[in-house]
Amino acid sequence: MICFPNAKINLGLNVVSKRPDGYHNIETVFYPVPVQDALEIIEAEQTSFSQTGLPIEGPPEKNLVMKALARLQEKYTIPPLEIHLFKSIPFGAGLGGGSADAAFMLKLVNEYCRLGLSVNTLEELAATIGADCPFFIQNSPVFASGTGNIFEPVSLSLKKYYIGLVKPDIIVSTPEAYALIRPGYPEISLKEMMTTPVEQWKETMVNDFEQVVFPRYPEIRKIKETLYEKGAVFAAMSGSGSSVFGLFDKPVSLKETFPAYYTWEGPLG
């Protein structure tokens, strides 16, 4: 059985307060995008994991796919599985690729083994793996608050737009980026921004991480500027980076503009 975990982008990201536990409360909108990995499981004599495509650092047992399997094995009887992950979503990009793989693994095993787990149960299991993971269970646009784990559905469709993604060979330290942020609430809430035309977002919607990442990595700032030069109606860094996305009202080709970087473009519909 096979599935295709997809990425997400952050539409705005405001770090609003620091929590007593050392983490931060945020407000953002998660939106699914059709950049996809491929995840396959088949019954086997013993459980194994293999991975191809973009390289992933670390041993197999540390992969979030295997962490998701372990969570299920703690409570349910799961037969030995041969697992293969083809990685296409770049790592360290702010696109949630690893979280998507874990969440889709939960859903895939649930279906394959006929566990009958509810959406709520799957989301609870996903939350034990990572803050972004629960989003990919229902995989539809949400306003996220708390540490990114409290979801409210939003009525938002970007289907008429095309997306271009650019990922330089830069890894941004998320803990370091959080440490440099000065938390605070935006003047205009993201919920309100979601009701305005996309063409107005350039003036109102911000990713707070850009203010600390761009001075340290001007290469990422330049990517955003270039996407606007290419005709993007809105462009921003996703998450804490290092990928930058642009929304376009017509197809765009980025490979020649960014020959040294990972690029992806396609419709959001």
Side-chain angles (χ1 to χ4, degrees):
M1 183 176 287
I2 191 168
C3 66
F4 299 93
N6 59 271
K8 60 81 183 167
I9 54 173
N10 292 80
L11 299 172
L13 200 166
N14 305 124
V15 182
V16 297
S17 62
K18 189 169 184 178
R19 299 158 55 97
D21 59 10
Y23 291 92
H24 290 78
N25 289 314
I26 67 168
E27 292 183 350
T28 188
V29 171
F30 290 140
Y31 195 93
V33 295
V35 189
Q36 296 177 325
D37 292 339
L39 178 62
E40 183 179 27
I41 61 173
I42 58 175
E43 196 160 347
E45 292 186 1
Q46 61 181 20
T47 295
S48 63
F49 175 81
S50 60
Q51 186 262 319
T52 55
L54 297 175
I56 302 176
E57 296 181 359
E61 60 270 18
K62 295 293 186 180
N63 191 281
L64 292 184
V65 167
M66 297 306 288
K67 191 172 181 178
L69 178 62
R71 288 290 183 271
L72 290 170
Q73 289 173 327
E74 290 170 2
K75 296 185 176 183
Y76 309 99
T77 301
I78 310 297
L81 298 170
E82 181 180 329
I83 304 157
H84 181 74
L85 173 65
F86 179 82
K87 196 69 185 161
S88 182
I89 304 170
F91 174 80
L95 298 173
S99 297
D101 295 337
F104 274 75
M105 182 64 173
L106 294 175
K107 294 191 287 186
L108 191 63
V109 175
N110 182 45
E111 182 179 356
Y112 184 79
C113 296
R114 300 179 181 178
L115 299 178
L117 304 182
S118 67
V119 167
N120 286 342
T121 298
L122 289 169
E123 287 181 342
E124 289 171 2
L125 286 168
T128 68
I129 301 170
D132 289 351
C133 287
F135 163 73
F136 291 101
I137 298 298
Q138 298 195 59
N139 206 28
S140 58
V142 295
F143 174 80
S145 56
T147 59
N149 63 331
I150 302 171
F151 302 140
E152 300 174 44
V154 294
S155 179
L156 175 67
S157 174
L158 300 176
K159 289 185 177 180
K160 73 174 186 177
Y161 294 99
Y162 296 81
I163 187 169
L165 282 168
V166 183
K167 163 68 168 66
D169 190 19
I170 295 172
I171 300 295
V172 177
S173 168
T174 300
E176 180 183 346
Y178 267 112
L180 295 169
I181 286 280
R182 290 185 177 181
Y185 285 89
E187 293 184 7
I188 304 174
S189 73
L190 275 173
K191 289 181 181 179
E192 184 178 342
M193 290 181 206
M194 289 300 104
T195 67
T196 63
V198 174
E199 290 75 13
Q200 295 180 14
W201 291 356
K202 181 179 180 181
E203 307 301 327
T204 57
M205 187 181 293
V206 298
N207 178 341
D208 286 347
F209 284 113
E210 290 183 1
Q211 63 182 302
V212 297
V213 171
F214 283 178
R216 286 158 179 77
Y217 304 99
E219 196 173 342
I220 302 177
R221 180 201 300 271
K222 180 60 178 175
I223 293 170
K224 179 178 177 178
E225 293 171 350
T226 303
L227 289 175
Y228 275 123
E229 291 169 4
K230 293 282 289 183
V233 296
F234 178 71
M237 193 171 69
S238 187
S240 59
S242 59
S243 72
V244 182
F245 67 89
L247 302 180
F248 298 83
D249 54 16
K250 58 185 178 181
V252 62
S253 178
L254 300 175
K255 291 180 176 61
E256 291 185 4
T257 306
F258 303 101
Y261 302 154
Y262 168 95
T263 59
W264 190 94
E265 56 271 326
L268 280 171

